[in-house]
Amino acid sequence: MPTVSVKRDLLFEALGQKYTDEEFDELCFEFGLELDEITSEKEILIREQGGEKAEGASDVVLYKIDVPANRYDLLCLEGLVRGLQVFKEKLEAPRYKRVSPADGGEPQRLVITEETASVRPHAVAAVLRNITFTQERYESFIELQEKLHQNICRKRTLVAIGTHDLDTISGPFTYTAKPPGEIRFKPLSQSREYTAAELMSLYKTDSHLRHYLHIIENEPLYPIIYDSNGIVLSMPPIINGDHSKISLNTKNIFIECTATDLTKAKITLDMVVTMFSVYCDEPFTVEEAEVVYPDGRLSVYPELAYRTETLSGDFINKRVGINESAESIAQLLTRMCLRSEVSGEGDLIQVEIPPTRADVIHACDIMEDAAIAYGFNNIVRSTPRTYTVANQLPVNKLTELLRQDLTAAGFTEALTFALCSEEDIADKLRKNITETRAVHISNPKTADFQVARTSLLPGLLKTIAANRKMPLPLKLFEISDVVLKDETKDVGARNNRRLCAVYYNKSPGFEVIHGLLDRVMQLLDVKPGRNQGYHIQAAEDSTFFPGRCAEIFSCGKSIGHLGVLHPDVISRFELTMPCSAIDIDIEPFL
Amino acid sequence: VSPSERKASPKVDGGTDSQDVAADLGVDHQVIVGAVKSLQALGEVISAEQKSSRHWELTGEGREIAEQGSHEARVFNAIPDEGLPQNQLMKMPSGKVGFSKAMSNKWIRLDKAHEGGPRVFKTVEAIEDTVRDKLQLVQKGQSAKLEDKEKNELKKRKLLSEVTVKSYWITKGSSFSTTITKQETELTPEMIASGSWKEKKFKPYNFEAMGVAPDCGHLHPLMKVRTQFRQIFLEMGFTEMPTNNFIESSFWNFDSLFQPQQHPARDQHDTFFISDPALAHEFPQDYLERVKKVHSEGGYGSQGYKYDWKIEEAQKNLLRTHTTAVSARMLYKLAQQEKFTPVKYFSIDRVFRNETLDATHLAEFHQIEGVVADYGLTLGNLMGILHQFFTKLGITKLRFKPAYNPYTEPSMEVFSYHEGLKKWVEVGNSGVFRPEMLLPMGLPEGVSVIAWGLSLERYVDTHT
């Protein structure tokens, strides 16, 4: 969930009202936001870097507000204030308008060449005219781009935004892709020109930019945007040129978004322009720009598309569980920036979805907004009349019964991880990893999670190792799932419910574990015997001490092993005493 | 009554000290201590209060001096009137120490120039052996007659040492008697058979002591809470889902839930992907096509996500990140029934996230999930059922916050008022499954599916 940091006093000024922290927290809760933290730059510095570094830092109170991941329109102060003001009915949602250049001139044009196809094929653009920045507005503008980059743009992989002082460059602009050696320009905040190849090594150590290098690093061609004089606007998705950088004094802004996902590029551009057109001389207007594709097609951006959905008041009432008139529902929706009107035919409501609400893709999204505006906590809670009979999953029912009886037999239940290292299920048990049928994880962060366990034994032995100080004997069990490769399954693997128990003492206690097997079989109503019953017979298994291992058969089918563990197994789990164990599959008893 | 027990019985009503008893009876103090303890075990015959006192005692060397005289006196007494050659004197056991002490006391003198070698002579007629006298006083228990300075000097010479003695102040107990009956510790079968228990007195039990731990096993505390949740679902008529499949395909874990392929949860940083077996192979083909379409183009009244949906992404195997993958399989199965029947499903099982373990992060935890599918279910129904569910856990104050989740709309975070922490804490997530998830499965239009989930570990952390 993205977190937006705003200055409290600035926020209240923009909202035209002061709140106590509790009141604001309550407002957030109702609207689906979360006031996550109240802090200041100084506090943050003290916490992150210690008191010395924080000296002289600002004490201005900051609200850190968690915003739902799909609400890109709330990622900056401007958007938050607009959303809350409309919600509180203090403001009518603005109408965003795309306009042609004022003087009747040609729109700015961005020409895409076919070379971009292999690396980053899409681009959209727009112009903000006669904008007035202040320090705060400027910072918010930069911050919004960063938030969008981190969220909808998926760390610039899907979309990268470039903003430029239009008065320093001249169109038409060309979006192309070139070999890194042929790209040369002075990037933002550097004092000289670099080739693209040099830049990539320069930014290897840049704490911020190094995260984006991988996106194009191994591409033969890098994306690049030039103006008509060959000046570099940007090398997306890495860095802008220094020449066209914006400042507090910038009046006219050229915005380009290059992308691998055109839908997300359009949304991103719409967000930037809808949020900041409020500071244009003609608020909420955005000057169009043309994008020409390699095949000659021409598109005009930003889309700023309004869409109308028609739904009935009855639909909302039935889905939410309220009973409101169509008019009142239309009013609720309007408070969520979804301008709505009752159309006159029955209880049909016309809902207009603005370009800021890209998250509304279905009538159910509109229904949710009605419920939020109504207040989730004002909805009457009622019990559905759905009549059903409960059933337990047989394997879980059996597990529950056996667990109870194993504790009654004096064994204590352990709960161990289903993931472990290869070593745990192979080397430490004196097995070869290839014979374990283990499922392997491709991207574990630590060696503790290389495979899904194929046996419950390593977990129990680790539990004993962690409890060596407890008085002997230690008697532990677990009934849980292991995972085995199985080609007959759609995913190629299946779980297997197993029962494992260990006895750890100064003497091996084979008879204790054997006694436990007898008790379990008694509970499962399987009598001792060769054919219809159960029996054990000597077996060799590398995990067990030679001559001290038996295979367990029930109704003629092998279900597992019991025996005294091999001394090497004991020492590999950092244990010192003899130990006996039983490991059986309980699924045959279902 | 053994002799020492009788001895330990106080002779005077006001009480007596066990040390004095030992001195009076001329026995070792330890014998009296033993007697006191065995009398105490009989109940209230006597009462004995432990106290400690410090007193002076002779060291081994001190006792020797008390008997044979100080080294210097022994040296003095060994010298005849005609004197003694120094080397001969030094051979005496007390020679060295006695010689220098006697010299400093000016009892003797050394004639170094004497013919035949240095010779020692008495200088006084008689001496008073004060060291021996003082030590004898201490030996008689009259150390109080000595001054502190004198005692410290003797201590320095390692003739005296100060010791702490633990003794008892003994007084008559509430059931004091000069004859005592031996108390029995436990009732025996013989006593019951013979009836002798009627005549016996029994040693009182110490009810302050802890009992002996029973010889039994225990269930894991987290699993006990799992059983409790399971019981609640069963009481509410929910059927358990088969969640015994930790390995899941991206298709069921994400795509079927209308979670787009670029969603951050599908990132390597958040989800454990499987390298072997890397890909899932079997999918219901026409359903897969409908899922692909709703993601990339929309449909069922949805705009869709409008991106290039790839089967390769959907095939990737992973460790399921939520049990909702199983709910999706179950709802798909339900949709294949000839005629829809309402269902209530639940599961409590492990889910996995690619985390590094620390105090607040687990790579696997138990997700508790409840799902209800029926015609005409409302958001109010979801809140009502959540209210019933949490009431069974003793949580009655709930409120709901709008939230975002890719596969539910509306989505609500569930908060409960925590009486201990005096604040609202999040206890779970809930919502109504999106039509883009349900309709491609083939469920009828009017059917709503409401669901909620919480983490067993988190619940145990905050509520138990």
Side-chain angles (χ1 to χ4, degrees):
Chain A
M1 206 191 288
T3 303
V4 180
S5 176
V6 294
K7 290 178 179 158
R8 183 193 62 188
D9 295 349
L10 221 55
L11 175 72
F12 290 171
E13 193 190 313
L15 286 172
Q17 187 184 342
K18 282 195 170 156
Y19 293 85
T20 63
D21 292 341
E22 290 72 28
E23 284 165 351
F24 190 72
D25 184 48
E26 200 59 33
L27 175 62
C28 284
F29 193 95
E30 203 187 338
F31 192 59
L33 303 170
E34 199 168 323
L35 179 55
D36 185 48
E37 198 187 353
I38 302 165
T39 180
S40 71
E41 270 176 38
K42 193 170 191 170
E43 257 182 57
I44 295 170
L45 277 173
I46 289 172
R47 188 177 56 210
E48 288 172 359
Q49 306 185 17
E52 276 172 38
K53 298 256 181 177
E55 220 157 284
S58 161
D59 290 324
V60 172
V61 179
L62 293 179
Y63 275 178
K64 293 208 157 190
I65 300 169
D66 280 349
V67 174
N70 63 341
R71 290 299 298 272
Y72 315 118
D73 59 318
L74 303 175
L75 287 176
C76 60
L77 176 79
E78 289 73 12
L80 269 175
V81 167
R82 215 172 290 164
L84 288 171
Q85 292 284 71
V86 174
F87 183 62
K88 302 290 285 179
E89 295 180 288
K90 289 184 184 168
L91 183 81
E92 212 172 293
R95 260 201 95 75
Y96 307 99
K97 222 169 119 192
R98 183 172 80 193
V99 296
S100 303
D103 50 7
E106 290 289 305
Q108 295 296 332
R109 178 174 282 201
L110 177 64
V111 180
I112 306 178
T113 73
E114 60 191 6
E115 288 82 2
T116 59
S118 66
V119 50
R120 208 171 177 82
H122 306 289
V124 294
V127 173
L128 285 173
R129 278 285 170 199
N130 300 314
I131 198 164
T132 307
F133 275 140
T134 61
Q135 186 64 39
E136 274 95 17
R137 292 171 183 182
Y138 178 81
E139 283 169 11
S140 178
F141 186 63
I142 303 295
E143 188 59 26
L144 173 65
Q145 293 175 51
E146 178 57 21
K147 291 282 179 232
L148 290 169
H149 274 152
Q150 293 309 316
N151 293 283
I152 183 173
C153 308
R154 291 300 316 279
K155 296 179 179 145
R156 303 193 190 178
T157 53
L158 302 182
V159 187
I161 312 162
T163 55
H164 311 276
D165 188 334
L166 182 57
D167 299 323
T168 65
I169 44 181
S170 64
F173 307 101
T174 307
Y175 173 41
T176 186
K178 283 188 165 183
E182 291 175 26
I183 297 171
R184 191 178 173 82
F185 67 105
K186 187 168 124 184
L188 213 55
S189 3
Q190 294 293 335
S191 51
R192 66 170 180 90
E193 291 195 346
Y194 292 83
T195 66
E198 286 169 343
L199 280 178
M200 296 303 264
S201 65
L202 177 69
Y203 293 145
K204 276 270 185 299
T205 53
D206 187 295
S207 63
H208 181 56
L209 295 176
R210 65 189 163 96
H211 302 294
Y212 308 119
L213 304 180
H214 73 96
I215 306 172
I216 57 166
E217 204 167 23
N218 298 319
E219 296 288 338
L221 304 178
Y222 286 7
I224 185 92
I225 303 177
Y226 294 102
D227 85 343
S228 59
N229 298 318
I231 287 168
V232 170
L233 272 66
S234 62
M235 184 177 81
I238 312 296
I239 190 81
N240 287 355
D242 190 63
H243 182 90
S244 60
K245 71 169 176 234
I246 61 163
S247 72
L248 269 179
N249 302 319
T250 298
K251 296 306 290 180
N252 301 301
I253 305 175
F254 178 69
I255 302 157
E256 38 86 4
C257 298
T258 55
T260 53
D261 180 323
L262 182 59
T263 311
K264 294 234 166 14
K266 291 178 189 172
I267 296 172
T268 304
L269 182 66
D270 279 353
M271 288 303 157
V272 175
V273 298
T274 52
M275 293 301 114
F276 281 87
S277 56
V278 64
Y279 301 130
C280 291
D281 279 359
E282 255 187 82
F284 309 117
T285 64
V286 186
E287 187 179 301
E288 67 192 19
E290 294 172 351
V291 173
V292 184
Y293 284 87
D295 62 3
R297 259 185 316 120
L298 187 144
S299 297
V300 180
Y301 294 108
E303 283 196 339
L304 292 183
Y306 283 81
R307 178 177 98 241
T308 303
E309 297 263 3
T310 305
L311 42 79
S312 70
D314 185 55
F315 166 80
I316 303 267
N317 280 327
K318 282 201 169 139
R319 293 292 166 130
V320 179
I322 52 176
N323 191 15
E324 294 288 300
S325 69
E327 287 75 15
S328 132
I329 290 170
Q331 203 181 345
L332 291 173
L333 291 171
T334 303
R335 281 175 54 205
M336 301 302 289
C337 292
L338 303 173
R339 201 186 297 249
S340 303
E341 276 174 6
V342 179
S343 68
E345 294 170 48
D347 68 341
L348 290 185
I349 304 167
Q350 305 276 346
V351 186
E352 188 185 57
I353 293 111
T356 45
R357 292 299 307 275
D359 59 299
V360 177
I361 57 175
H362 192 278
C364 69
D365 298 301
I366 299 170
M367 180 259 286
E368 178 183 66
D369 274 19
I372 293 172
Y374 184 85
F376 278 2
N377 297 296
N378 298 324
I379 299 168
V380 176
R381 300 171 189 182
S382 56
T383 310
R385 288 196 221 142
T386 310
Y387 174 82
T388 51
V389 173
N391 285 304
Q392 303 186 51
L393 189 70
V395 72
N396 289 356
K397 184 177 180 180
L398 177 64
T399 301
E400 286 286 304
L401 292 170
L402 283 176
R403 286 171 57 237
Q404 293 286 347
D405 280 314
L406 285 185
T407 57
F411 280 71
T412 285
E413 186 179 31
L415 174 63
T416 69
F417 289 130
L419 306 182
C420 59
S421 67
E422 284 182 22
E423 199 191 10
D424 287 338
I425 54 164
D427 293 358
K428 286 187 178 177
L429 294 183
R430 304 180 78 244
K431 301 260 187 216
N432 190 324
I433 189 73
T434 52
E435 71 190 62
T436 57
R437 292 158 71 198
V439 165
H440 291 254
I441 296 166
S442 67
N443 58 331
K445 285 181 183 152
T446 64
D448 298 333
F449 309 125
Q450 291 171 323
V451 290
R453 65 181 173 199
T454 52
S455 164
L456 299 176
L457 188 57
L460 289 183
L461 294 177
K462 285 196 238 177
T463 307
I464 289 187
N467 290 282
R468 269 176 309 198
K469 287 186 183 152
M470 302 298 280
L472 293 172
L474 287 172
K475 299 191 275 184
L476 295 181
F477 80 95
E478 185 170 14
I479 307 180
S480 189
D481 285 345
V482 302
V483 182
L484 303 169
K485 279 200 281 188
D486 180 348
E487 280 170 13
T488 67
K489 300 285 165 183
D490 60 346
V491 297
R494 67 175 166 93
N495 283 21
N496 177 215
R497 184 70 45 92
R498 302 195 71 91
L499 179 161
C500 186
V502 292
Y503 177 83
Y504 182 71
N505 201 1
K506 285 177 184 152
S507 61
F510 181 88
E511 67 290 354
V512 177
I513 282 298
H514 191 184
L516 187 71
L517 169 69
D518 294 336
R519 173 66 182 142
V520 168
M521 288 301 169
Q522 187 182 33
L523 289 162
L524 293 169
D525 201 19
V526 182
K527 305 222 162 18
R530 291 251 153 198
N531 298 317
Q532 290 313 300
Y534 75 96
H535 72 276
I536 65 173
Q537 73 184 39
E540 284 304 313
D541 185 304
S542 51
T543 301
F544 295 92
F545 198 39
R548 294 282 183 277
C549 170
E551 192 167 4
I552 306 162
F553 292 87
S554 174
C555 302
K557 189 175 174 291
S558 168
I559 57 163
H561 288 88
L562 84 168
V564 178
L565 293 184
H566 195 284
D568 285 346
V569 173
I570 292 170
S571 18
R572 282 170 200 176
F573 283 95
E574 290 162 16
L575 297 174
T576 51
M577 303 275 168
C579 181
S580 51
I582 178 171
D583 176 10
I584 59 170
D585 179 357
I586 63 163
E587 288 177 22
F589 303 104
L590 291 176
Chain B
V1 182
S2 73
S4 54
E5 278 171 352
R6 190 182 299 283
K7 284 170 203 160
S9 298
K11 289 177 293 187
V12 277
D13 289 347
T16 178
D17 190 289
S18 57
Q19 290 233 67
D20 295 342
V21 177
D24 285 354
L25 297 173
V27 295
D28 192 80
H29 183 235
Q30 278 313 309
V31 176
I32 304 299
V33 170
V36 166
K37 283 192 174 153
S38 74
L39 282 172
Q40 269 181 315
L42 299 177
E44 301 294 316
V45 179
I46 60 160
S47 85
E49 200 183 318
Q50 203 176 34
K51 56 179 211 172
S52 64
S53 62
R54 299 174 69 76
H55 82 140
W56 294 91
E57 215 171 59
L58 300 191
T59 63
E61 192 182 348
R63 274 198 295 278
E64 186 192 314
I65 287 171
E67 272 170 35
Q68 300 174 22
S70 66
H71 300 295
E72 54 270 33
R74 277 184 261 170
V75 164
F76 181 83
N77 291 333
I79 300 172
D81 291 345
E82 65 275 19
L84 197 68
Q86 191 189 14
N87 55 8
Q88 204 176 326
L89 179 90
M90 286 307 185
K91 281 177 197 152
M92 286 174 58
S94 303
K96 259 188 178 166
V97 188
F99 173 74
S100 58
K101 269 280 167 196
M103 281 294 282
S104 72
N105 284 352
K106 300 210 166 71
W107 292 347
I108 56 174
R109 67 180 171 83
L110 177 65
D111 182 358
K112 285 187 187 165
H114 201 274
E115 139 195 7
R119 203 174 178 92
V120 185
F121 295 94
K122 289 193 221 179
T123 52
V124 291
E125 278 300 309
I127 52 154
E128 199 181 336
D129 190 354
T130 52
V131 171
R132 180 187 196 174
D133 296 346
K134 287 173 191 168
L135 290 177
Q136 280 175 340
L137 276 179
V138 173
Q139 206 170 26
K140 286 181 206 146
Q142 295 170 6
S143 61
K145 288 185 179 166
L146 294 181
E147 294 198 9
D148 283 352
K149 202 179 132 197
E150 295 171 310
K151 284 185 277 204
N152 283 327
E153 200 173 303
L154 291 168
K155 188 180 171 190
K156 234 185 251 169
R157 286 186 67 178
K158 299 206 166 83
L159 303 178
L160 272 191
S161 65
E162 196 174 18
V163 293
T164 305
V165 176
K166 291 213 157 77
S167 61
Y168 289 93
W169 183 253
I170 310 162
T171 52
K172 286 181 181 171
S174 57
S175 47
F176 178 76
S177 153
T178 50
T179 56
I180 57 169
T181 342
K182 185 78 177 177
Q183 288 177 311
E184 297 294 339
T185 48
E186 290 297 7
L187 193 59
T188 64
E190 291 74 26
M191 292 177 198
I192 296 171
S194 67
S196 66
W197 58 271
K198 292 175 195 154
E199 325 299 333
K200 308 252 183 211
K201 280 201 169 174
F202 288 87
K203 220 169 172 180
Y205 276 169
N206 176 7
F207 294 110
E208 301 298 319
M210 297 295 286
V212 175
D215 185 16
C216 65
H218 308 274
L219 289 171
H220 192 281
L222 199 75
M223 293 295 95
K224 281 163 101 169
V225 184
R226 182 180 74 173
T227 302
Q228 192 189 350
F229 272 104
R230 208 169 163 269
Q231 186 63 31
I232 289 172
F233 277 116
L234 292 172
E235 284 168 12
M236 291 174 71
F238 282 65
T239 285
E240 196 166 29
M241 291 189 276
T243 46
N244 51 342
N245 61 323
F246 296 163
I247 310 301
E248 191 51 277
S249 62
S250 294
F251 179 77
W252 289 107
N253 196 79
F254 294 123
D255 295 284
S256 70
L257 298 170
F258 197 53
Q259 198 150 350
Q261 296 191 328
Q262 316 87 337
H263 193 276
R266 303 181 69 154
D267 204 287
Q268 297 274 330
H269 293 293
D270 295 309
T271 299
F272 285 119
F273 286 91
I274 304 299
S275 56
D276 180 23
L279 301 176
H281 290 288
E282 277 174 56
F283 303 99
Q285 269 311 315
D286 41 349
Y287 171 51
L288 181 127
E289 289 303 324
R290 294 195 293 272
V291 169
K292 175 180 179 171
K293 191 156 183 250
V294 77
H295 278 248
S296 50
E297 298 169 31
Y300 311 100
S302 175
Q303 302 289 308
Y305 292 126
K306 300 188 176 115
Y307 71 96
D308 188 12
W309 189 90
K310 294 192 177 77
I311 178 74
E312 292 77 12
E313 274 300 318
Q315 278 188 297
K316 287 182 182 171
N317 275 335
L318 43 77
L319 276 154
R320 66 164 175 233
T321 62
H322 46 198
T323 50
T324 318
V326 177
S327 308
R329 283 180 183 265
M330 293 299 284
L331 290 169
Y332 172 74
K333 204 172 149 198
L334 175 67
Q336 308 319 302
Q337 283 182 190
E338 214 153 284
K339 189 176 178 298
F340 173 84
T341 47
V343 295
K344 293 196 287 210
Y345 289 142
F346 84 96
S347 64
I348 310 170
D349 212 334
R350 294 177 196 242
V351 295
F352 304 85
R353 307 281 165 92
N354 195 356
E355 300 274 6
T356 307
L357 284 189
D358 64 34
T360 56
H361 292 91
L362 283 172
E364 51 185 283
F365 61 92
H366 289 77
Q367 183 186 342
I368 302 166
E369 180 165 347
V371 179
V372 185
D374 200 354
Y375 282 100
L377 295 174
T378 68
L379 197 57
N381 286 157
L382 175 56
M383 294 189 199
I385 211 162
L386 281 165
H387 179 74
Q388 289 186 326
F389 178 78
F390 282 102
T391 300
K392 281 178 177 281
L393 290 162
I395 295 171
T396 50
K397 271 165 107 176
L398 289 186
R399 65 174 191 163
F400 301 90
K401 174 178 161 299
Y404 169 66
N405 183 343
Y407 46 88
T408 54
E409 190 81 9
S411 308
M412 307 189 295
E413 277 171 9
V414 188
F415 283 72
S416 80
Y417 190 75
H418 196 291
E419 296 293 346
L421 300 171
K422 297 269 172 257
K423 65 172 187 180
W424 292 91
V425 294
E426 196 197 324
V427 287
N429 258 300
S430 65
V432 183
F433 283 135
R434 293 189 71 99
E436 293 99 324
M437 167 183 164
L438 302 178
L439 296 175
M441 289 176 170
L443 284 169
E445 279 261 6
V447 168
S448 291
V449 182
I450 56 179
W452 73 97
L454 59 153
S455 150
L456 178 64
E457 281 78 357
R458 193 184 145 85
Y459 173 82
V460 169
D461 269 359
T462 48
H463 289 88
T464 56

